[in-house]
């Protein structure tokens, strides 16, 4: 008998039975994660592919969670003001996130404001500098993801013998006389003071970096650092590294890629933009940049922090996500642009998880073993007091350097 021959009441009865026998599925628990947007958009889709890949991979293992990953460069994740970006993201109102990726330069401020909660990352998994960077008074407040450190990229193998700022500048000048020895961006109240602290670490390898935040400036550090700063200038009174010429986009990287400068100083991931500007360029030499009287790398650390309002099941879900994010497979996905089609250029981001470097594809990559060697013995930037002292440091440095 066809359903068309049934009377209307019977059809309605059967329809009602059909609907009632298929109960609504249990709603998935929402989880929002705002991730650091200052990484190469290697696929060129405003991180849409990376967001989707992270959400899909995580939800395969945790189908009960509805993950929303956000990469948004319009969000100022350095804004510590009351009512500002981080206050809203780490608050309890609509639009808040449960997990936020931050620079640990801000960690002490976030903890002091009560916006984040302690977490317990597994000991021994991360680089020692990363573990130190998320610790405040013996308590960990973040799960490390990236490391960042200043390196020099150059075409000359002689760069390997640079041991201090003076030898670095000499080698870069000799590489191709008449060209700008170094292109870099030192403009800004975050960039210039942090570069000075890097130089301070090179000059005082046995001392705690927290001492570098206090004024007055260290004369030995400034003297050595000034040599590197001045190497960017080809004519008196004009220094594109300080005056903002190289501050936006990737002008300094493009200058190096076009062989207008003999070296480039910046984070490792800036190699992405160098190769984008000159895809046929051979991979350059790389060393930790000696900005002081010696060479002792300092590293920034980015970490995932948990909203203090996220408790109970929410906190369990958030920790499941941080565990997923620190896994070597996830770090490789991001570092090697596996969210894009085959052949997509790597992002060249340093990873905090030590196992990442021992596994493929990092282990056989031409750059990552060199990066790992640079990280040996690295110390983290202080996680307290930098935000409130950076502008005073910048003003003092500009006075001395100009």
């Amino acid at each position: 008998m066809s359903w068309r021959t049934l009377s209307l009441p019977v059809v309605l009865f059967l329809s009602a039975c059909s609907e009632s026998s298929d109960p609504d599925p249990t709603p998935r628990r929402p989880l929002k994660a705002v991730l650091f947007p200052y990484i190469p958009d290697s696929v060129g889709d405003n991180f849409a592919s990376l967001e989707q890949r992270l959400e899909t991979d995580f939800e395969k293992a945790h189908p009960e969670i509805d993950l929303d990953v956000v990469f948004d460069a319009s969000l100022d994740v350095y804004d510590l003001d009351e009512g500002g970006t981080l206050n809203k993201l780490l608050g309890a109102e609509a639009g808040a996130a449960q997990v936020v990726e931050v620079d640990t330069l801000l960690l002490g401020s976030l903890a002091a404001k009560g916006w984040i909660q302690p977490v317990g990352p597994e000991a021994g998994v991360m680089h020692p500098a990363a573990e130190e960077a998320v610790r405040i008074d013996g308590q960990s407040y973040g799960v490390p993801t990236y490391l960042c450190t200043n390196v020099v990229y150059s075409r000359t193998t002689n760069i390997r013998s640079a041991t201090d700022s003076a030898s670095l500048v000499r080698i870069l000048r000799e590489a191709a006389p008449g060209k700008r020895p170094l292109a870099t961006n030192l403009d800004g109240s975050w960039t210039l003071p942090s570069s000075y602290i890097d130089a301070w670490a090179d000059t005082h390898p046995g001392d705690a970096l927290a001492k570098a935040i206090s004024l007055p400036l260290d004369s030995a550090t400034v003297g050595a650092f000034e040599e590197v700063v001045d190497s960017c200038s080809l004519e008196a009174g004009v220094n594109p590294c300080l005056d903002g010429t190289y501050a936006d986009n990737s002008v300094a990287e493009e200058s190096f890629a076009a062989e207008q400068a003999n070296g480039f100083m910046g984070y490792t991931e800036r190699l992405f933009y160098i190769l984008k500007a000159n895809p046929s360029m051979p991979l350059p030499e790389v060393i930790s940049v000696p900005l002081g009287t010696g060479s002792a790398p300092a590293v920034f650390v980015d970490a995932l922090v948990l909203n203090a309002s996220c408790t109970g099941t929410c906190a369990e879900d958030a920790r499941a996500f941080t565990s997923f994010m620190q896994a070597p497979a996830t770090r490789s996905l991001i570092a090697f642009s596996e969210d894009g089609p085959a052949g997509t250029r790597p992002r060249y981001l340093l990873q905090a998880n030590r196992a990442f470097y021992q596994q493929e594809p990092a282990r056989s990559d031409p750059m990552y073993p060199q990066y790992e060697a640079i990280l040996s013995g690295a110390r983290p930037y202080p996680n307290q007091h930098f935000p409130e002292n950076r502008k005073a440091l910048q003003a003092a440095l500009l006075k001395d350097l100009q």
Side-chain angles (χ1 to χ4, degrees):
M1 182 176 61
S2 167
W3 66 268
R4 293 183 179 87
T5 65
L6 295 175
S7 63
L8 181 58
V10 177
V11 174
L12 293 175
F13 175 78
L14 291 177
S15 299
C17 290
S18 175
E19 291 173 1
S20 63
S21 64
D22 184 20
D24 291 336
T26 302
R28 295 192 297 161
R29 300 188 297 271
L31 181 71
K32 181 178 178 180
V34 174
L35 302 185
F36 220 57
Y38 312 117
I39 65 175
D41 181 17
S42 54
V43 183
D45 61 357
N46 200 29
F47 301 108
S49 297
L50 183 55
E51 290 175 350
Q52 182 178 26
R53 178 65 186 274
L54 291 172
E55 290 171 1
T56 299
D57 287 2
F58 177 76
E59 290 172 0
K60 282 180 181 177
H62 301 278
E64 72 282 7
I65 300 174
D66 182 13
L67 175 64
D68 178 22
V69 172
V70 176
F71 289 90
D72 187 350
S74 70
L75 293 174
D76 182 3
V77 291
Y78 284 86
D79 179 9
L80 287 165
D81 291 344
E82 297 291 332
T85 302
L86 285 171
N87 190 194
K88 291 178 180 177
L89 288 177
L90 294 169
E93 304 299 325
Q98 289 69 56
V99 180
V100 180
E101 194 167 31
V102 300
D103 188 329
T104 56
L105 284 173
L106 312 179
L107 200 68
S109 299
L110 296 174
K113 291 173 178 291
W115 295 351
I116 59 176
Q117 60 181 285
V119 297
E122 186 179 349
V125 172
M126 301 298 172
H127 189 283
E131 292 187 342
E132 182 180 345
V134 297
R135 205 161 43 236
I136 298 174
D137 297 331
Q139 185 76 260
S140 293
Y141 281 88
V143 176
T145 50
Y146 303 112
L147 302 175
C148 295
T149 189
N150 281 314
V151 299
V152 168
Y153 288 118
S154 178
R155 295 174 179 82
T156 176
T157 57
N158 293 339
I159 200 71
R160 300 174 190 169
S161 62
T163 56
D164 55 19
S165 63
S167 59
L168 171 70
V169 172
R170 174 181 55 78
I171 291 167
L172 290 176
R173 289 191 190 281
E174 293 173 350
K179 292 184 180 179
R180 193 179 309 282
L182 186 68
T184 187
N185 173 36
L186 294 171
D187 182 55
S189 63
W190 294 89
T191 305
L192 183 61
S194 64
S195 297
Y196 163 78
I197 294 174
D198 194 347
W200 193 96
D202 291 336
T203 305
H204 303 280
D207 293 345
L209 267 64
K211 297 179 181 179
I213 296 177
S214 302
L215 292 174
L217 299 174
D218 179 66
S219 58
T221 299
V222 173
F225 182 44
E226 189 172 14
E227 292 192 66
V228 179
V229 176
D230 287 347
S231 74
C232 191
S233 180
L234 289 181
E235 53 184 303
V238 179
N239 191 320
C241 296
L242 272 179
D243 65 15
T245 300
Y246 289 156
D248 297 323
N249 300 316
S250 52
V251 180
E253 292 86 342
E254 291 164 5
S255 178
F256 173 64
E259 300 189 35
Q260 296 168 357
N262 297 335
F264 168 82
M265 185 188 94
Y267 304 144
T268 58
E269 59 265 32
R270 304 313 293 181
L271 180 57
F272 173 88
Y273 300 99
I274 293 169
L275 297 177
K276 182 180 180 181
N278 185 358
S280 62
M281 172 183 167
L283 290 172
E285 301 290 330
V286 60
I287 63 166
S288 174
V289 60
L291 292 174
T293 60
S295 185
V299 294
F300 299 92
V301 177
D302 299 325
L304 301 168
V305 296
L306 272 60
N307 189 323
S309 301
C310 178
T311 59
T313 301
C314 175
E316 293 175 6
D317 291 349
R319 292 188 183 102
F321 177 70
T322 61
S323 295
F324 163 78
M325 285 296 292
Q326 74 176 20
T330 307
R331 304 324 304 170
S332 288
L333 159 63
I334 298 172
F336 286 96
S337 302
E338 293 171 2
D339 50 306
T344 302
R345 186 177 293 112
R347 292 184 169 98
Y348 296 109
L349 293 155
L350 298 183
Q351 305 301 321
N353 190 319
R354 294 190 294 179
F356 162 86
Y357 300 92
Q358 309 309 316
Q359 300 179 14
E360 299 295 348
R363 185 171 59 184
S364 300
D365 184 80
M367 299 307 297
Y368 274 99
Q370 298 183 72
Y371 296 154
E372 184 184 23
I374 287 172
L375 293 174
S376 177
R379 293 179 290 164
Y381 277 82
N383 58 19
Q384 299 182 75
H385 309 304
F386 180 83
E388 56 266 41
N389 287 291
R390 60 188 172 85
K391 291 186 177 180
L393 280 172
Q394 181 197 25
L397 285 163
L398 288 174
K399 182 179 179 181
D400 278 18
L401 295 172
Q402 294 179 341

